[in-house]
């Protein structure tokens, strides 16, 4: 299917399916318009630009003053969870970074058009404020995409161009299944219907559930951990261990809450502004 850039940008979430040839001398193309998807809660990710959002310090202080009991790691996790909830609301109130850039640019253009026939000093000051606001939103957007992409495309000089943003939007649908063809050759659309078709297909392919018989484990040879390993597994989690784990975080990552609680993935940088506030 061939279309221009304007058409693709208008139907980013659309899909094209190639039908069977049949008696025709060519394959028919079926275009399915974007459908309403079931909303799922997105994983929380902390981005560095959030530190500069007004009210950030108040949110952190409120979350970290949460009264909770238990060991240090339980208190740490509970307050980190409260931090996530409050930061999610703060980010929602702040608005989408790309929309903020578009709105700031539109407001600046509107004032500049009005200034063509009016040179009032008030408008000059307003223009200056809008320029500063636009620059600030551009810095936020650049930081957001740089951290989200986790690649060095900006360092290589590719620039913050529209092609990159279009690719980000197009990748949104890359691993999603919107439509499936059933055994009768009918196209089925919708998440739940597609899920049912996939489940029924694999149930018929794999057959019914097989009941496994129990077996004696006494004669099975298993490796036994050493005494030092057992002591390490049973060691008490301390504030020093939590702080040392936070210090191992890699820079310019956007970890979620559970990633921070995993000892195998404690990246440093995305929460570097929180370390001294939280601990």
């Amino acid at each position: 299917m061939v279309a221009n850039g304007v058409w693709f940008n208008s139907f980013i979430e659309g899909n094209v399916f190639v039908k069977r040839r049949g008696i025709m001398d060519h394959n028919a193309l079926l275009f399915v318009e974007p459908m309403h998807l079931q909303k799922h809660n997105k994983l929380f990710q902390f981005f560095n630009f959030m530190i500069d959002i007004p009210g950030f310090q108040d949110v952190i202080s409120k979350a970290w003053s949460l009264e909770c009991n238990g060991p240090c790691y339980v208190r740490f996790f509970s307050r980190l969870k409260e931090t996530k909830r409050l930061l999610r609301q703060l980010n929602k109130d702040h608005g989408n970074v790309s929309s903020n850039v578009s709105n700031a640019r539109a407001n600046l253009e509107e004032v500049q058009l009005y200034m063509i026939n009016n040179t009032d000093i008030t408008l000059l000051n307003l223009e200056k404020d809008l320029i500063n606001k636009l620059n600030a939103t551009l810095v936020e957007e650049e930081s957001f995409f740089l951290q989200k992409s986790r690649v060095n495309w900006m360092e290589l000089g590719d620039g913050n161009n529209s092609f990159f943003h279009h690719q980000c939007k197009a990748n949104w649908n890359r691993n999603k299944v919107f439509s499936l063809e059933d055994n009768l050759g009918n196209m089925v659309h919708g998440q739940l219907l597609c899920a049912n078709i996939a489940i029924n297909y694999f149930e018929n392919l794999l057959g019914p559930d097989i009941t496994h018989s129990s077996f004696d484990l006494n004669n099975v040879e298993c490796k036994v951990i050493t005494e030092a390993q057992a002591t390490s597994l049973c060691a008490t989690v301390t504030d020093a261990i939590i702080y040392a784990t936070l210090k191992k975080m890699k820079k310019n990552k956007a970890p979620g809450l559970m990633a921070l609680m995993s000892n195998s993935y404690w990246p440093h940088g995305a929460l570097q502004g929180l370390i001294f506030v939280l601990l």
Side-chain angles (χ1 to χ4, degrees):
M1 181 174 179
V2 180
N4 58 19
V6 177
W7 193 91
F8 278 113
N9 289 333
S10 301
F11 300 97
I12 293 177
E13 301 175 7
N15 288 273
V16 177
F17 300 92
V18 181
K19 303 289 289 184
R20 296 176 181 177
R21 178 168 297 186
I23 61 174
M24 305 293 292
D25 60 350
H26 63 277
N27 296 74
L29 299 179
L30 174 64
F31 171 73
V32 179
E33 294 185 9
M35 65 185 66
H36 178 70
L37 301 178
Q38 293 179 340
K39 291 186 178 180
H40 299 281
N41 293 330
K42 295 182 179 179
L43 295 176
F44 173 78
Q45 292 180 316
F46 182 88
F47 293 95
N48 293 333
F49 76 89
M50 297 176 65
I51 297 176
D52 297 325
I53 297 179
F56 172 81
Q57 292 292 343
D58 296 336
V59 165
I60 298 303
S61 300
K62 181 179 179 180
W64 213 242
S65 61
L66 177 69
E67 293 292 336
C68 50
N69 300 320
C72 61
Y73 62 88
V74 174
R75 300 195 303 271
F76 176 77
F77 182 77
S78 301
R79 289 166 180 168
L80 198 61
K81 200 172 182 181
E82 180 69 7
T83 303
K84 180 194 74 169
R85 185 185 69 83
L86 295 178
L87 284 181
R88 188 190 293 274
Q89 184 61 42
L90 179 68
N91 188 46
K92 182 178 180 181
D93 296 338
H94 182 65
N96 182 273
V97 289
S98 297
S99 299
N100 293 341
V101 170
S102 300
N103 295 334
R105 183 176 285 111
N107 294 334
L108 178 60
E109 292 176 353
E110 182 180 358
V111 171
Q112 289 176 338
L113 288 175
Y114 186 74
M115 289 176 59
I116 295 177
N117 299 321
N118 193 331
T119 58
D120 189 359
I121 187 64
T122 304
L123 293 177
L124 294 175
N125 294 331
L126 179 59
E127 181 192 26
K128 183 178 179 180
D129 294 338
L130 292 177
I131 291 176
N132 293 333
K133 183 177 181 179
L134 176 60
N135 291 333
T137 56
L138 287 172
V139 171
E140 283 186 0
E141 185 183 41
E142 180 179 326
S143 174
F144 170 77
F145 279 109
L146 175 61
Q147 194 173 349
K148 193 175 181 65
S149 62
R150 298 186 180 183
V151 294
N152 60 347
W153 58 274
M154 282 195 174
E155 295 180 1
L156 297 177
D158 292 338
N160 193 3
N161 49 40
S162 59
F163 174 76
F164 174 79
H165 295 279
H166 293 162
Q167 288 298 314
C168 289
K169 294 179 181 179
N171 289 341
W172 187 82
N173 277 339
R174 179 158 296 177
N175 296 322
K176 290 182 173 60
V177 177
F178 295 94
S179 302
L180 284 177
E181 185 175 334
D182 59 14
N183 296 331
L184 302 178
N186 301 321
M187 293 299 299
V188 177
H189 308 289
Q191 288 177 293
L192 293 178
L193 295 177
C194 290
N196 292 332
I197 290 180
I199 293 173
N200 293 334
Y201 172 80
F202 284 104
E203 284 182 346
N204 295 332
L205 179 65
L206 300 176
D209 295 336
I210 300 176
T211 303
H212 297 280
S213 58
S214 60
F215 56 93
D216 188 9
L217 295 177
N218 295 326
N219 297 326
V220 178
E221 294 184 1
C222 300
K223 292 184 178 180
V224 180
I225 63 175
T226 63
E227 184 177 353
Q229 292 173 332
T231 302
S232 177
L233 290 173
C234 299
T236 303
V237 180
T238 62
D239 293 341
I241 293 178
I242 296 177
Y243 184 77
T245 307
L246 284 173
K247 293 290 289 185
K248 296 179 182 178
M249 295 168 62
K250 298 179 181 178
K251 294 183 178 181
N252 292 326
K253 294 292 184 179
L257 176 65
M258 296 308 298
L260 292 174
M261 298 307 296
S262 172
N263 201 23
S264 62
Y265 180 75
W266 283 71
H268 173 65
L271 284 179
Q272 58 187 356
L274 294 180
I275 291 178
F276 300 102
V277 180
L278 298 183
L279 299 179

